[in-house]
Amino acid sequence: MSNKEEKPEGKESSWKDFIYNPRTGEFLGRTASSWALIFLFYLVFYGFLAGMFSLTMWVMLQTLDDYTPKYRDRVANPGLMIRPKNLDMVVNRSNSQQYSKYVQELEDFLLDYNDTLQEQNVQCKEGDYFDQDGPEEKQVCQFKRSQLRQCSGLADTNFGYSEGQPCVLIKLNRVIGLKPQGQPYVNCTAKREIPLQMLYFPTEGRIDKMYFPYYGKKSHAKYVQPLVAVKLQLTEQDYNTQLTIECKVEGSNLRNNDERDKFLGRITFRITVTK
């Protein structure tokens, strides 16, 4: 007589029967018809949710305009940006490989401002907003890179970096519908006791009203922002010293003193030039 108690037939394979039971035809405890009903329910359920989502999105999109934002209760104030796009620059005027990245970035950025391209745009009247009606593609006022003169990269392909007097380009961020009041201009100051000599192009760092308003990427596909170039007139005493320079938009109603946003109407960058 065996000491081990005999197990009921099929006891050892009960877990296999749960996966598939050949006697009942069940898979994971359900018959094929049961699984078909569950699949059909979720297919209808999620299909209904997807259809309802698509319908609500379609209805919402019908209320939007491809050319004009739906809500423009208050036009935001623009921020300032610089090119080269680096807020902490180190320039070794004797090493062209070191500053070549800044020169190349300026050259690439100014390609859209080439005179041959800008001559295809409209010669606008200075001092007046360039308002345009209708949904068609808007015209663009000329802004030729030659207006940047010593910082255009035309006469001096190194933008002053090889002579230790680098150029920095400043631009306003695009804001649809913006019409700055007054006579906006860019003013830069070095945060030190002795003033730093700078040259501005266009003259006095002016931003003409004819480049406003901006109508959006779709309507104003060829739009280019007005630029202000600042050439730092560094001397021997300014080399090997980190200079902190703050540039602001002044002469208009554009905000430039919000302590919560350091880029609203102003920008601060640092530059060190070595021999």
Side-chain angles (χ1 to χ4, degrees), residues 4-259:
K4 295 183 179 180
E5 184 178 352
E6 294 183 1
K7 296 182 180 180
E9 185 179 354
K11 184 71 174 179
E12 295 180 352
S13 60
S14 60
W15 65 274
K16 297 180 180 179
D17 290 340
F18 175 73
I19 296 176
Y20 177 72
N21 192 327
R23 296 186 301 276
T24 62
E26 294 178 346
F27 177 71
L28 296 178
R30 292 184 180 275
T31 62
S33 60
S34 177
W35 279 115
L37 289 174
I38 290 176
F39 177 77
L40 179 62
F41 168 78
Y42 281 106
L43 180 65
V44 173
F45 177 68
Y46 286 114
F48 171 76
L49 291 181
M52 186 172 64
F53 175 77
S54 300
L55 178 63
T56 54
M57 288 295 294
W58 180 82
V59 171
M60 183 193 70
L61 291 174
Q62 301 313 301
T63 67
L64 302 180
D65 192 312
D66 290 339
Y67 296 92
T68 306
K70 185 174 180 62
Y71 297 106
R72 291 192 298 167
D73 298 333
R74 184 179 66 179
V75 177
N77 281 266
L80 277 190
M81 292 299 293
I82 65 170
R83 294 292 186 275
K85 199 174 182 180
N86 195 317
L87 298 181
D88 196 349
M89 292 183 282
V90 177
V91 178
N92 184 340
R93 71 173 191 174
S94 301
N95 186 352
S96 60
Q97 293 183 343
Q98 190 275 332
Y99 61 73
S100 62
K101 56 183 178 181
Y102 302 132
V103 172
Q104 188 60 50
E105 185 176 345
L106 290 173
E107 181 62 36
D108 293 343
F109 177 72
L110 288 174
L111 290 178
D112 290 335
Y113 293 84
N114 283 338
D115 289 15
T116 53
L117 289 178
Q118 289 302 310
E119 286 170 358
Q120 302 172 18
N121 295 329
V122 179
Q123 182 66 55
C124 299
K125 181 181 178 181
E126 294 184 4
D128 292 334
Y129 299 121
F130 189 31
D131 291 308
Q132 303 178 67
D133 298 324
E136 69 280 354
E137 185 174 344
K138 308 300 182 183
Q139 294 180 313
V140 178
C141 292
Q142 292 183 11
F143 191 103
K144 298 180 179 179
R145 67 184 292 178
S146 58
Q147 296 175 229
L148 302 178
R149 297 170 58 190
Q150 297 180 36
C151 290
S152 66
L154 299 176
D156 178 9
T157 56
N158 287 316
F159 296 91
Y161 284 81
S162 60
E163 60 183 8
Q165 296 187 344
C167 290
V168 176
L169 304 182
I170 300 174
K171 68 183 184 71
L172 283 172
N173 288 337
R174 302 180 183 187
V175 176
I176 295 177
L178 176 67
K179 287 185 175 182
Q181 304 298 315
Q183 300 295 330
Y185 66 94
V186 171
N187 182 50
C188 299
T189 55
K191 293 186 176 181
R192 65 178 191 179
E193 294 182 0
I194 304 174
L196 180 64
Q197 296 299 315
M198 306 181 197
L199 291 177
Y200 296 91
F201 309 103
T203 306
E204 298 177 353
R206 290 176 297 181
I207 302 175
D208 201 283
K209 290 182 180 179
M210 65 181 176
Y211 300 105
F212 303 95
Y214 169 59
Y215 287 96
K217 188 174 183 179
K218 190 166 185 177
S219 295
H220 237 156
K222 297 181 180 179
Y223 178 82
V224 291
Q225 295 126 295
L227 304 175
V228 172
V230 181
K231 186 175 181 63
L232 306 179
Q233 298 286 87
L234 303 184
T235 63
E236 293 285 338
Q237 290 73 27
D238 299 317
Y239 294 155
N240 303 311
T241 302
Q242 186 181 72
L243 300 173
T244 301
I245 300 172
E246 182 180 55
C247 297
K248 292 184 177 182
V249 177
E250 298 184 351
S252 71
N253 63 330
L254 300 179
R255 297 172 59 189
N256 62 10
N257 57 359
D258 191 338
E259 291 302 322

